């Protein structure tokens, strides 16, 4: 093998090996359009870690004052929402961030989010080996009555994020 090819092949091998960990895929991303005066909304998507057990640990956006990972659950016959530190992304399984379950909450919207607008997000993921990954996501906004996918568990898609107490 010629001497000049060795560094090139080593670089290609390193790039392939280092990108092997960076495989959390995102699909079906969407945001709920806001209504007049609403300062918060939800963002939903499907996440899948193909190579290791990873965790979604944070979200950044320029569209709102803050973005948090939230979970909704039924407690004493009342639907409650709370911020969580992370969401586990088990290897080979799709984790659905959806209405009525885990989702991303945008609070302090900088402007109304209209159907057809796009929300730019950066997901922060930590992999089992400690490596960190940032994933850029574009989530198109859908109107409340647009027929957005309902929660697969039979839950309602009609809850209003702006009305929750923390």
């Amino acid at each position: 093998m010629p001497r000049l090819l060795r560094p090139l092949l080593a670089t290609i091998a390193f790039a392939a090996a280092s990108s092997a960990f960076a495989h959390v895929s995102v699909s079906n991303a969407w945001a709920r359009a806001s209504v007049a005066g609403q300062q918060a909304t939800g963002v939903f998507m499907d996440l899948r870690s193909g190579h290791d057990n990873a965790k979604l640990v944070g979200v950044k956006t320029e569209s709102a004052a803050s973005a948090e990972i939230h979970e909704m659950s039924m407690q004493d016959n009342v639907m409650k929402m709370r911020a969580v530190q992370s969401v586990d992304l088990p290897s080979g399984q799709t984790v659905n961030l959806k209405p009525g379950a885990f989702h991303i909450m945008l609070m302090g919207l900088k402007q109304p989010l209209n159907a057809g607008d796009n929300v730019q997000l950066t997901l922060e993921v930590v992999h089992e080996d400690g490596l960190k990954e940032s994933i850029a996501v574009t989530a198109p906004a859908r109107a409340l009555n647009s027929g957005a996918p309902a929660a697969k568990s039979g839950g309602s898609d009609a809850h209003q994020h702006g009305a929750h107490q923390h």
Side-chain angles (χ1 to χ4, degrees), residues 6-85:
R6 285 185 192 151
L8 177 62
L9 292 175
T11 301
I12 292 169
F14 174 76
S18 65
S19 68
F21 87 91
H23 275 65
V24 170
S25 62
V26 178
S27 59
N28 304 315
W30 64 282
R32 180 175 284 130
S34 62
V35 295
Q38 184 179 352
Q39 294 296 307
T41 195
V43 180
F44 314 96
M45 64 193 72
D46 298 330
L47 302 170
R48 185 177 180 91
S49 177
H51 290 89
D52 64 5
N53 294 313
K55 288 184 182 209
L56 174 64
V57 297
V59 182
K60 294 179 183 175
T61 186
E62 296 293 322
S63 298
S66 65
E68 297 178 351
I69 305 164
H70 281 207
E71 176 184 31
M72 293 195 68
S73 61
M74 191 66 84
Q75 297 174 359
D76 299 323
N77 292 324
V78 175
M79 185 64 86
K80 297 198 177 195
M81 182 172 66
R82 67 180 179 96
V84 295
Q85 296 298 311

Side-chain angles (χ1 to χ4, degrees), residues 32-33 115 142-148 157:
R32 180 175 284 130
R142 297 181 185 169
L144 287 175
N145 59 358
S146 70
D157 190 37

Side-chain angles (χ1 to χ4, degrees), residues 45-159:
M45 64 193 72
D46 298 330
L47 302 170
R48 185 177 180 91
S49 177
H51 290 89
D52 64 5
N53 294 313
K55 288 184 182 209
L56 174 64
V57 297
V59 182
K60 294 179 183 175
T61 186
E62 296 293 322
S63 298
S66 65
E68 297 178 351
I69 305 164
H70 281 207
E71 176 184 31
M72 293 195 68
S73 61
M74 191 66 84
Q75 297 174 359
D76 299 323
N77 292 324
V78 175
M79 185 64 86
K80 297 198 177 195
M81 182 172 66
R82 67 180 179 96
V84 295
Q85 296 298 311
S86 64
V87 174
D88 290 335
L89 304 174
S91 180
Q93 296 180 30
T94 299
V95 175
N96 307 106
L97 303 188
K98 60 187 178 182
F102 286 115
H103 60 281
I104 294 167
M105 214 42 222
L106 304 182
M107 294 169 293
L109 290 171
K110 294 183 178 176
Q111 61 187 32
L113 185 58
N114 299 306
D117 291 348
N118 285 319
V119 176
Q120 303 299 322
L121 306 163
T122 301
L123 306 181
E124 298 170 347
V125 174
V126 175
H127 292 268
E128 191 171 53
D129 58 7
L131 292 173
K132 295 180 181 178
E133 177 182 7
S134 294
I135 304 167
V137 176
T138 298
R142 297 181 185 169
L144 287 175
N145 59 358
S146 70
K152 292 179 184 173
S153 63
S156 171
D157 190 37
H159 66 275

